[in-house]
Amino acid sequence: MSGHATEAPPVAAAAAGGLPRRLAGLAVLWLVLATAPLWMPLIGGYDALATRVLVLGLVAMSFNIVLGFTGQMSFGHAAYFGLGAYGAGLTLKFIAASTPLALLFGTLLGGVLGTLFGLLIVRRRGVYFAMVTIAFGQVCFYVAYKWNDLTGGYDGLRGFQRAPLHLGLATIDIAASSRVFYYFVLVIFALAVGAMALVLRSPFGRTLLAIRENERRARFLGIPVERHIWLAFSVSCFFAALAGSLYALLNNFADPLALHYTLSGEIVIMTVMGGMRAFWGPLLGAAVFVVLQDYVSSMTENWMSIIGIIFMLVVLFFPRGLLGFMQRRDAR
Amino acid sequence: MLQVIFFNVTNGLIIGAFYVLLALGLALILNLSNVINFAHGNFLALGGYFAFAITPVLGYWGALIVAPLLTAALGFVVERLLISRVYSRDPVYSLLLTFGLAFVIQDVCRYTWGPNGLPLGIPDALSQPLSPELFFITWYRIFMVAIVIVAVAGLFLFLRYSRVGVRIRAGTLDLDTVSVLGVNVRLLRTFNFSIGCLMAGLAGVLAAGQIGLNPNMGDDLLMPSFIAIIVGGVGSLTGTLFGGLLIGLAGAITTVFYPSASEAVIYIIMAVVLLLRPRGLMGEEGMLT
């Protein structure tokens, strides 16, 4: 992760042209997101697809706390995403038909387990960090896969429905309308992304950049590197699990493939495709990937080859991602 | 009961032998090039399918030799064309590259040979059981273990005594110095990658005779092979060897007593090793960071 010390600070990097441009960029972004249900049908999309973009964008952005900002390569983030999904699903099915409770328990399940796993892996670096995170991800996959009575095994967890929101006076029916649910997810997304930005702008967030750029120097400066990586990993897992809970609500279904390392790989490619040095990069990558995947898998049976080739093309020709690519053109 | 345990121990040794073949190839590539080859299980499947395609022409014995060599040749080309391009970059790129490659190879196998399982015929002499009492052990199982022992011994002797083997081991410790001493490191890495694929291809031919062929036959073996490396200790091929056998045996013995935990047990072993001895059973201090 070294050798990028001269780049613009990532949080601000989405628009390298100073404050007015940054604000304009943000305004455009939120306008695009807020109007998505209106223009998605024009490009062959639908409300649930737009929601998928937000959910996978959220997990990719939370993953990027570890990859892009701390410089550690987790390859098992699907695990915490999937745990969130199962947590939310199980809550709705067995505890109470309450959407906020489902989100809370889903987030806690994935976040707390991720934090515990984190303790075992923070001393690893590079590909070994990746390998151990993959293996832990597969632990979760096998548990969900094998524990038939609780999780529904291979068929996934069914038999639950997201419940309407009761806000004291008003009731918002997110269960019936996929459009209302989109806006519900958008609100959660905005809150989560705002919290993420605060974390990354805080002194703690800046320390993560120091670790990414030069771990040894960060250590000499007295930064407790292992503890910071662990915390970053933990924060990232909580957000990933939140995204997973939303995913279960979106589909009214949680399946073991949401825990599988294939999804972990897809989260990584979304992040890299969008630009892992940019705060908003993973969201852009998720949008491109999700829409492309939806399109390709409806077009051809050989979608695996196409997705695989996209992986390879991104690595070979767009390693800096879409936003990174634009930034470099700006810098000229 | 004793017979059941004996049966499962032999099963465990055989599955452990597959883990070892796959994990040794993975570890070679990991140690020298710092690349996790996600497509390794797919090279295994390709080895099996190559054997399937060659058997009608050269017979089983010809396929046993030629199919792994073809896999190695393909590995050579893949490394040259794709993987060698990302060595100088962050490891995340090589991971994504091999990940995409795994998708493509799996899809190509499915497209070419169909999504359903295919059998790979083995010579009649090998499919007989040892004796009426030991009906559950066919000669083929003995044969597989023997081949794996020969292959692993060959690999270790090659690394220990041949000039290229010594260079590979030296490169594992300090590639820059090896390069400065005038060794063509590019070629060394390519060659090393194709040795890894050779082992995977051989495992594929052997596995196909036992469990048949299907496009994702390598997937179930890939993750245990990762764990064999982690448990055995990163950087130590001997550790990988014992790690593979250990988790193969542990899974099989668990099957006797508590079948539904047979896959979980290898993850438990990994967690225990990571907790108590983070560098792995035989890993060198400092190799894991």
Side-chain angles (χ1 to χ4, degrees):
Chain A
M1 290 287 167
S2 55
H4 297 277
T6 52
E7 282 179 30
V11 177
L19 190 65
R21 257 190 80 181
R22 223 166 73 204
L23 287 178
L26 279 176
V28 169
L29 173 79
W30 287 110
L31 194 68
V32 167
L33 290 179
T35 55
L38 302 178
W39 55 262
M40 272 303 259
L42 297 179
I43 57 163
Y46 40 93
D47 289 350
L49 190 70
T51 319
R52 253 179 86 86
V53 168
L54 281 186
V55 168
L56 289 170
L58 181 58
V59 67
M61 286 176 80
S62 52
F63 164 72
N64 203 32
I65 297 175
V66 177
L67 179 72
F69 292 90
T70 317
Q72 303 302 318
M73 191 171 51
S74 162
F75 220 85
H77 254 60
Y80 317 111
F81 180 77
L83 281 171
Y86 274 97
L90 291 170
T91 308
L92 283 173
K93 191 171 178 182
F94 293 114
I95 299 178
S98 157
T99 298
L101 207 63
L103 287 181
L104 179 69
F105 283 177
T107 308
L108 281 179
L109 181 67
V112 170
L113 279 179
T115 307
L116 291 179
F117 282 162
L119 278 177
L120 284 178
I121 59 185
V122 285
R123 298 178 61 85
R124 306 290 169 126
R125 294 295 178 274
V127 282
Y128 309 122
F129 190 93
M131 233 161 87
V132 180
T133 50
I134 298 164
F136 272 127
Q138 285 307 95
V139 176
C140 300
F141 172 73
Y142 272 115
V143 170
Y145 190 76
K146 289 277 171 189
W147 199 348
N148 236 319
D149 305 336
L150 186 69
T151 63
Y154 179 75
D155 296 326
L157 183 69
R158 291 174 188 281
F160 63 88
Q161 280 276 323
R162 56 179 188 255
L165 278 182
H166 302 288
L167 298 175
L169 300 172
T171 295
I172 304 176
D173 191 8
I174 56 167
S177 158
S178 58
R179 181 151 304 175
V180 176
F181 183 66
Y182 173 81
Y183 285 106
F184 171 72
V185 172
L186 185 61
V187 169
I188 305 260
F189 175 82
L191 293 174
V193 166
M196 233 184 261
L198 282 181
V199 169
L200 290 173
R201 278 163 178 269
S202 71
F204 167 71
R206 295 295 162 174
T207 326
L208 297 182
L209 297 188
I211 293 171
R212 178 190 84 192
E213 293 303 336
N214 194 331
E215 184 186 325
R216 179 175 293 192
R217 191 176 290 180
R219 204 181 288 280
F220 288 166
L221 287 171
I223 296 169
V225 171
E226 270 78 28
R227 196 165 78 208
H228 273 60
I229 293 178
W230 178 53
L231 277 175
F233 189 80
S234 165
V235 168
S236 163
C237 288
F238 272 100
F239 283 116
L242 173 65
S245 316
L246 290 170
Y247 195 63
L249 296 181
L250 166 66
N251 297 328
N252 290 320
F253 174 57
D255 77 320
L257 288 181
L259 293 154
H260 197 258
Y261 68 85
T262 308
L263 182 66
S264 298
E266 290 174 1
I267 293 171
V268 182
I269 199 74
M270 288 173 205
T271 307
V272 171
M273 194 197 268
M276 63 178 175
R277 298 287 179 213
F279 182 71
W280 294 105
L283 179 65
L284 181 64
V288 173
F289 189 85
V290 167
V291 173
L292 211 61
Q293 195 182 32
D294 187 66
Y295 184 67
V296 168
S297 58
S298 66
M299 291 290 287
T300 166
E301 266 181 33
N302 295 90
W303 59 272
M304 266 185 93
S305 289
I306 308 223
I307 298 292
I309 288 169
I310 291 173
F311 269 61
M312 300 205 274
L313 289 179
V314 167
V315 167
L316 292 176
F317 300 112
F318 284 97
R320 296 163 61 93
L322 294 165
L323 280 183
F325 187 67
M326 284 188 246
Q327 275 165 33
R328 197 157 59 166
R329 286 184 48 169
D330 272 359
R332 258 185 224 154
Chain B
M1 188 64 191
L2 205 62
Q3 203 181 32
V4 175
I5 292 181
F6 186 57
F7 170 70
N8 279 288
V9 167
T10 47
N11 251 350
L13 278 176
I14 287 165
I15 195 138
F18 283 128
Y19 294 161
V20 167
L21 270 190
L22 209 58
L24 281 177
L26 269 172
L28 273 177
I29 298 166
L30 184 68
N31 293 348
L32 186 65
S33 302
N34 215 23
V35 168
I36 298 178
N37 184 16
F38 253 110
H40 215 66
N42 303 87
F43 279 107
L44 176 142
L46 271 178
Y49 278 114
F50 284 155
F52 179 79
I54 295 168
T55 306
V57 186
L58 295 176
Y60 181 80
W61 302 103
L64 183 65
I65 294 170
V66 175
L69 288 175
L70 274 179
T71 317
L74 186 74
F76 194 95
V77 174
V78 162
E79 200 274 354
R80 200 72 296 203
L81 288 182
L82 295 171
I83 295 168
S84 59
R85 290 169 186 265
V86 295
Y87 282 148
S88 55
R89 298 210 221 133
D90 192 290
V92 74
Y93 292 110
S94 62
L95 249 171
L96 287 174
L97 190 65
T98 57
F99 202 83
L101 186 66
F103 271 33
V104 173
I105 296 180
Q106 191 176 334
D107 208 37
V108 166
C109 285
R110 182 174 297 132
Y111 190 74
T112 316
W113 287 286
N116 302 318
L118 293 169
L120 179 70
I122 52 172
D124 285 340
L126 289 178
S127 55
Q128 304 302 322
L130 281 190
S131 71
E133 297 84 54
L134 295 173
F135 59 91
F136 47 84
I137 304 181
T138 57
W139 280 107
Y140 186 67
R141 297 180 155 225
I142 305 282
F143 168 74
M144 279 195 294
V145 173
I147 295 276
V148 172
I149 291 173
V150 169
V152 170
L155 178 70
F156 277 84
L157 289 174
F158 168 76
L159 291 174
R160 185 88 181 79
Y161 293 110
S162 80
R163 183 173 284 251
V164 177
V166 170
R167 285 173 177 173
I168 288 177
R169 284 191 296 131
T172 301
L173 295 174
D174 188 347
L175 197 63
D176 290 340
T177 306
V178 174
S179 174
V180 167
L181 289 172
V183 173
N184 185 341
V185 171
R186 271 162 48 98
L187 201 62
L188 191 71
R189 280 175 148 176
T190 313
F191 189 71
N192 181 62
F193 190 90
S194 79
I195 295 176
C197 292
L198 182 80
M199 307 294 273
L202 180 64
V205 183
L206 294 176
Q210 176 78 17
I211 57 171
L213 289 155
N214 70 69
N216 34 11
M217 62 188 282
D219 291 4
D220 294 338
L221 294 171
L222 186 66
M223 210 45 62
S225 305
F226 279 7
I227 292 171
I229 295 174
I230 297 172
V231 167
V234 167
S236 160
L237 290 181
T238 326
T240 304
L241 174 63
F242 285 114
L245 289 177
L246 175 72
I247 60 171
L249 274 177
I253 291 171
T254 316
T255 310
V256 181
F257 300 103
Y258 196 65
S260 57
S262 60
E263 271 154 319
V265 74
I266 60 175
Y267 294 108
I268 295 170
I269 292 178
M270 176 186 75
V272 170
V273 167
L274 282 179
L275 265 177
L276 301 181
R277 198 176 158 86
R279 61 185 150 128
L281 295 179
M282 304 177 90
E284 308 269 332
E285 193 77 68
M287 281 298 283
L288 49 90
T289 50

